[in-house]
Amino acid sequence: MAAASRPDTEDQDERDEPPARHAGVRDLIAAYPWLPIPVGLLLSAFGVWCFAGLAEQVYQGGPVLRVDEHLLRVSLGLRSGLLVGALSVLTWLGDVLVVLPVSLAIGVLIGLTRKRWGPLVLLAASSAGTGLAVYLFKIMIARPRPQVVDALVVEDGFGFPSGHSAHAAALYLMLGAFGLRLLRSRWARGAVFAGAVLAVVITGFSRVVLGVHSPTDVLAGWALGASWTVLLLSLWLSGEHLPRLIDALVARKRPR
């Protein structure tokens, strides 16, 4: 009788075993820690290519300008007292007077709590590089602010690219990357990265609705800030993994 009940016991044990967990992105990166580096470089190059294409269209007066005018007229229908009031505040998320102190404060906080000062250097380089690039491209392209709609806030200078959008992409995407790397909880990582993307989108959207930038100004700002940040993160990861790669390559040639 005992022998007859054994198959049932084995079947029960098999049903009680938890299902095998499939490997995720973090498992892939753990197995190949160098993988984000070429991916990041490719994404950065793609962002530069997008920015160059938009800059060429704007500078030469290409068809994209008609799309800009159409979307700006569409944005007039979105203007309401409540939305304009909210966006007039949220648009400061990309202002250099907010981005710079936030970058320094978070970099110092990470340095004091995690004993890692690399994020502070990255945040400072991201803000400084983005600001310099925006300043130079504004002078070179010299695109005026939108004239199709009335601006609801006062802004000086040229329109292309959007500095607010570029600074928002550079800062908040880097903060999202830090969250993915430093936080342990999956929900916390997802919340931080989603909040970072939302801050970038809201900032760019506010510039169009408020009438101070054309949509291509915003897209170019996003491409510029994101590509610069991704490049910095890729170079940082390269510096971290290069010594290990050198050691592994040298170890293969040593006699055993």
PDB file of all heavy atoms in Angstrom, residues 65-84:
ATOM      1  N   LEU A  65       8.284  73.219 -40.027  1.00  0.00           N
ATOM      2  CA  LEU A  65       7.797  74.500 -39.507  1.00  0.00           C
ATOM      3  C   LEU A  65       6.275  74.600 -39.648  1.00  0.00           C
ATOM      4  O   LEU A  65       5.609  75.200 -38.799  1.00  0.00           O
ATOM      5  CB  LEU A  65       8.476  75.656 -40.234  1.00  0.00           C
ATOM      6  CG  LEU A  65      10.006  75.730 -40.103  1.00  0.00           C
ATOM      7  CD1 LEU A  65      10.530  77.010 -40.770  1.00  0.00           C
ATOM      8  CD2 LEU A  65      10.426  75.679 -38.650  1.00  0.00           C
ATOM      9  N   ARG A  66       5.726  74.036 -40.704  1.00  0.00           N
ATOM     10  CA  ARG A  66       4.269  74.043 -40.871  1.00  0.00           C
ATOM     11  C   ARG A  66       3.595  73.160 -39.818  1.00  0.00           C
ATOM     12  O   ARG A  66       2.502  73.481 -39.331  1.00  0.00           O
ATOM     13  CB  ARG A  66       3.899  73.591 -42.283  1.00  0.00           C
ATOM     14  CG  ARG A  66       4.312  74.595 -43.369  1.00  0.00           C
ATOM     15  CD  ARG A  66       3.665  74.260 -44.700  1.00  0.00           C
ATOM     16  NE  ARG A  66       4.171  73.006 -45.235  1.00  0.00           N
ATOM     17  CZ  ARG A  66       5.253  72.906 -46.011  1.00  0.00           C
ATOM     18  NH1 ARG A  66       5.939  73.997 -46.327  1.00  0.00           N
ATOM     19  NH2 ARG A  66       5.650  71.726 -46.467  1.00  0.00           N
ATOM     20  N   VAL A  67       4.246  72.062 -39.481  1.00  0.00           N
ATOM     21  CA  VAL A  67       3.728  71.209 -38.416  1.00  0.00           C
ATOM     22  C   VAL A  67       3.747  71.969 -37.092  1.00  0.00           C
ATOM     23  O   VAL A  67       2.806  71.877 -36.290  1.00  0.00           O
ATOM     24  CB  VAL A  67       4.544  69.909 -38.322  1.00  0.00           C
ATOM     25  CG1 VAL A  67       4.032  69.031 -37.186  1.00  0.00           C
ATOM     26  CG2 VAL A  67       4.497  69.153 -39.643  1.00  0.00           C
ATOM     27  N   ASP A  68       4.798  72.724 -36.869  1.00  0.00           N
ATOM     28  CA  ASP A  68       4.892  73.543 -35.662  1.00  0.00           C
ATOM     29  C   ASP A  68       3.717  74.511 -35.560  1.00  0.00           C
ATOM     30  O   ASP A  68       3.080  74.645 -34.506  1.00  0.00           O
ATOM     31  CB  ASP A  68       6.206  74.338 -35.660  1.00  0.00           C
ATOM     32  CG  ASP A  68       7.330  73.574 -34.978  1.00  0.00           C
ATOM     33  OD1 ASP A  68       7.037  72.610 -34.248  1.00  0.00           O
ATOM     34  OD2 ASP A  68       8.495  73.938 -35.180  1.00  0.00           O
ATOM     35  N   GLU A  69       3.438  75.214 -36.652  1.00  0.00           N
ATOM     36  CA  GLU A  69       2.353  76.197 -36.643  1.00  0.00           C
ATOM     37  C   GLU A  69       1.012  75.524 -36.369  1.00  0.00           C
ATOM     38  O   GLU A  69       0.186  76.053 -35.607  1.00  0.00           O
ATOM     39  CB  GLU A  69       2.315  76.945 -37.976  1.00  0.00           C
ATOM     40  CG  GLU A  69       3.541  77.827 -38.221  1.00  0.00           C
ATOM     41  CD  GLU A  69       3.470  78.544 -39.556  1.00  0.00           C
ATOM     42  OE1 GLU A  69       2.462  78.322 -40.282  1.00  0.00           O
ATOM     43  OE2 GLU A  69       4.398  79.308 -39.878  1.00  0.00           O
ATOM     44  N   HIS A  70       0.800  74.366 -36.965  1.00  0.00           N
ATOM     45  CA  HIS A  70      -0.464  73.653 -36.748  1.00  0.00           C
ATOM     46  C   HIS A  70      -0.614  73.239 -35.283  1.00  0.00           C
ATOM     47  O   HIS A  70      -1.683  73.438 -34.674  1.00  0.00           O
ATOM     48  CB  HIS A  70      -0.530  72.433 -37.656  1.00  0.00           C
ATOM     49  CG  HIS A  70      -1.708  71.548 -37.397  1.00  0.00           C
ATOM     50  ND1 HIS A  70      -3.004  71.912 -37.717  1.00  0.00           N
ATOM     51  CD2 HIS A  70      -1.789  70.309 -36.806  1.00  0.00           C
ATOM     52  CE1 HIS A  70      -3.831  70.959 -37.358  1.00  0.00           C
ATOM     53  NE2 HIS A  70      -3.129  69.971 -36.799  1.00  0.00           N
ATOM     54  N   LEU A  71       0.433  72.684 -34.719  1.00  0.00           N
ATOM     55  CA  LEU A  71       0.357  72.224 -33.332  1.00  0.00           C
ATOM     56  C   LEU A  71       0.222  73.399 -32.359  1.00  0.00           C
ATOM     57  O   LEU A  71      -0.444  73.277 -31.321  1.00  0.00           O
ATOM     58  CB  LEU A  71       1.596  71.394 -32.991  1.00  0.00           C
ATOM     59  CG  LEU A  71       1.709  70.052 -33.732  1.00  0.00           C
ATOM     60  CD1 LEU A  71       3.004  69.345 -33.365  1.00  0.00           C
ATOM     61  CD2 LEU A  71       0.513  69.162 -33.421  1.00  0.00           C
ATOM     62  N   LEU A  72       0.830  74.511 -32.677  1.00  0.00           N
ATOM     63  CA  LEU A  72       0.681  75.680 -31.814  1.00  0.00           C
ATOM     64  C   LEU A  72      -0.761  76.184 -31.824  1.00  0.00           C
ATOM     65  O   LEU A  72      -1.291  76.588 -30.779  1.00  0.00           O
ATOM     66  CB  LEU A  72       1.635  76.782 -32.271  1.00  0.00           C
ATOM     67  CG  LEU A  72       3.111  76.599 -31.894  1.00  0.00           C
ATOM     68  CD1 LEU A  72       3.983  77.624 -32.617  1.00  0.00           C
ATOM     69  CD2 LEU A  72       3.300  76.721 -30.384  1.00  0.00           C
ATOM     70  N   ARG A  73      -1.395  76.159 -32.992  1.00  0.00           N
ATOM     71  CA  ARG A  73      -2.812  76.568 -33.048  1.00  0.00           C
ATOM     72  C   ARG A  73      -3.697  75.571 -32.292  1.00  0.00           C
ATOM     73  O   ARG A  73      -4.669  75.966 -31.645  1.00  0.00           O
ATOM     74  CB  ARG A  73      -3.253  76.688 -34.499  1.00  0.00           C
ATOM     75  CG  ARG A  73      -2.614  77.866 -35.235  1.00  0.00           C
ATOM     76  CD  ARG A  73      -3.284  78.107 -36.584  1.00  0.00           C
ATOM     77  NE  ARG A  73      -2.730  79.277 -37.249  1.00  0.00           N
ATOM     78  CZ  ARG A  73      -1.735  79.234 -38.121  1.00  0.00           C
ATOM     79  NH1 ARG A  73      -1.190  78.069 -38.453  1.00  0.00           N
ATOM     80  NH2 ARG A  73      -1.282  80.350 -38.679  1.00  0.00           N
ATOM     81  N   VAL A  74      -3.348  74.294 -32.379  1.00  0.00           N
ATOM     82  CA  VAL A  74      -4.099  73.297 -31.621  1.00  0.00           C
ATOM     83  C   VAL A  74      -3.960  73.538 -30.117  1.00  0.00           C
ATOM     84  O   VAL A  74      -4.918  73.359 -29.346  1.00  0.00           O
ATOM     85  CB  VAL A  74      -3.619  71.881 -31.986  1.00  0.00           C
ATOM     86  CG1 VAL A  74      -4.214  70.838 -31.038  1.00  0.00           C
ATOM     87  CG2 VAL A  74      -3.982  71.546 -33.426  1.00  0.00           C
ATOM     88  N   SER A  75      -2.775  73.975 -29.694  1.00  0.00           N
ATOM     89  CA  SER A  75      -2.547  74.204 -28.266  1.00  0.00           C
ATOM     90  C   SER A  75      -3.418  75.325 -27.714  1.00  0.00           C
ATOM     91  O   SER A  75      -3.664  75.377 -26.503  1.00  0.00           O
ATOM     92  CB  SER A  75      -1.070  74.531 -28.013  1.00  0.00           C
ATOM     93  OG  SER A  75      -0.730  75.814 -28.517  1.00  0.00           O
ATOM     94  N   LEU A  76      -3.905  76.208 -28.577  1.00  0.00           N
ATOM     95  CA  LEU A  76      -4.793  77.274 -28.111  1.00  0.00           C
ATOM     96  C   LEU A  76      -6.069  76.704 -27.511  1.00  0.00           C
ATOM     97  O   LEU A  76      -6.617  77.255 -26.550  1.00  0.00           O
ATOM     98  CB  LEU A  76      -5.127  78.222 -29.268  1.00  0.00           C
ATOM     99  CG  LEU A  76      -3.991  79.104 -29.791  1.00  0.00           C
ATOM    100  CD1 LEU A  76      -4.465  79.889 -31.012  1.00  0.00           C
ATOM    101  CD2 LEU A  76      -3.505  80.056 -28.708  1.00  0.00           C
ATOM    102  N   GLY A  77      -6.535  75.597 -28.077  1.00  0.00           N
ATOM    103  CA  GLY A  77      -7.747  74.983 -27.555  1.00  0.00           C
ATOM    104  C   GLY A  77      -7.558  74.309 -26.209  1.00  0.00           C
ATOM    105  O   GLY A  77      -8.539  73.977 -25.539  1.00  0.00           O
ATOM    106  N   LEU A  78      -6.308  74.104 -25.815  1.00  0.00           N
ATOM    107  CA  LEU A  78      -6.031  73.469 -24.529  1.00  0.00           C
ATOM    108  C   LEU A  78      -5.928  74.479 -23.393  1.00  0.00           C
ATOM    109  O   LEU A  78      -5.906  74.087 -22.219  1.00  0.00           O
ATOM    110  CB  LEU A  78      -4.718  72.663 -24.605  1.00  0.00           C
ATOM    111  CG  LEU A  78      -4.653  71.568 -25.673  1.00  0.00           C
ATOM    112  CD1 LEU A  78      -3.273  70.931 -25.673  1.00  0.00           C
ATOM    113  CD2 LEU A  78      -5.730  70.522 -25.436  1.00  0.00           C
ATOM    114  N   ARG A  79      -5.834  75.738 -23.745  1.00  0.00           N
ATOM    115  CA  ARG A  79      -5.641  76.757 -22.717  1.00  0.00           C
ATOM    116  C   ARG A  79      -6.917  76.964 -21.897  1.00  0.00           C
ATOM    117  O   ARG A  79      -7.988  77.215 -22.436  1.00  0.00           O
ATOM    118  CB  ARG A  79      -5.222  78.082 -23.350  1.00  0.00           C
ATOM    119  CG  ARG A  79      -3.812  78.060 -23.944  1.00  0.00           C
ATOM    120  CD  ARG A  79      -3.444  79.419 -24.522  1.00  0.00           C
ATOM    121  NE  ARG A  79      -2.068  79.450 -24.995  1.00  0.00           N
ATOM    122  CZ  ARG A  79      -1.488  80.530 -25.512  1.00  0.00           C
ATOM    123  NH1 ARG A  79      -2.188  81.659 -25.641  1.00  0.00           N
ATOM    124  NH2 ARG A  79      -0.221  80.483 -25.905  1.00  0.00           N
ATOM    125  N   SER A  80      -6.770  76.805 -20.618  1.00  0.00           N
ATOM    126  CA  SER A  80      -7.841  77.123 -19.679  1.00  0.00           C
ATOM    127  C   SER A  80      -7.194  77.735 -18.446  1.00  0.00           C
ATOM    128  O   SER A  80      -5.978  77.590 -18.230  1.00  0.00           O
ATOM    129  CB  SER A  80      -8.633  75.862 -19.303  1.00  0.00           C
ATOM    130  OG  SER A  80      -7.805  74.935 -18.620  1.00  0.00           O
ATOM    131  N   GLY A  81      -7.998  78.403 -17.663  1.00  0.00           N
ATOM    132  CA  GLY A  81      -7.440  79.083 -16.500  1.00  0.00           C
ATOM    133  C   GLY A  81      -6.711  78.137 -15.560  1.00  0.00           C
ATOM    134  O   GLY A  81      -5.604  78.433 -15.086  1.00  0.00           O
ATOM    135  N   LEU A  82      -7.315  76.979 -15.301  1.00  0.00           N
ATOM    136  CA  LEU A  82      -6.712  76.021 -14.378  1.00  0.00           C
ATOM    137  C   LEU A  82      -5.428  75.425 -14.943  1.00  0.00           C
ATOM    138  O   LEU A  82      -4.405  75.340 -14.244  1.00  0.00           O
ATOM    139  CB  LEU A  82      -7.716  74.908 -14.068  1.00  0.00           C
ATOM    140  CG  LEU A  82      -7.240  73.822 -13.101  1.00  0.00           C
ATOM    141  CD1 LEU A  82      -6.891  74.429 -11.750  1.00  0.00           C
ATOM    142  CD2 LEU A  82      -8.303  72.746 -12.966  1.00  0.00           C
ATOM    143  N   LEU A  83      -5.477  75.007 -16.222  1.00  0.00           N
ATOM    144  CA  LEU A  83      -4.302  74.385 -16.829  1.00  0.00           C
ATOM    145  C   LEU A  83      -3.160  75.372 -16.956  1.00  0.00           C
ATOM    146  O   LEU A  83      -2.008  75.053 -16.635  1.00  0.00           O
ATOM    147  CB  LEU A  83      -4.663  73.817 -18.196  1.00  0.00           C
ATOM    148  CG  LEU A  83      -3.513  73.107 -18.943  1.00  0.00           C
ATOM    149  CD1 LEU A  83      -3.029  71.902 -18.154  1.00  0.00           C
ATOM    150  CD2 LEU A  83      -3.953  72.699 -20.341  1.00  0.00           C
ATOM    151  N   VAL A  84      -3.448  76.575 -17.415  1.00  0.00           N
ATOM    152  CA  VAL A  84      -2.400  77.583 -17.564  1.00  0.00           C
ATOM    153  C   VAL A  84      -1.777  77.926 -16.209  1.00  0.00           C
ATOM    154  O   VAL A  84      -0.557  78.076 -16.085  1.00  0.00           O
ATOM    155  CB  VAL A  84      -2.957  78.848 -18.249  1.00  0.00           C
ATOM    156  CG1 VAL A  84      -1.951  79.991 -18.186  1.00  0.00           C
ATOM    157  CG2 VAL A  84      -3.313  78.542 -19.700  1.00  0.00           C
TER     158      VAL A  84
END
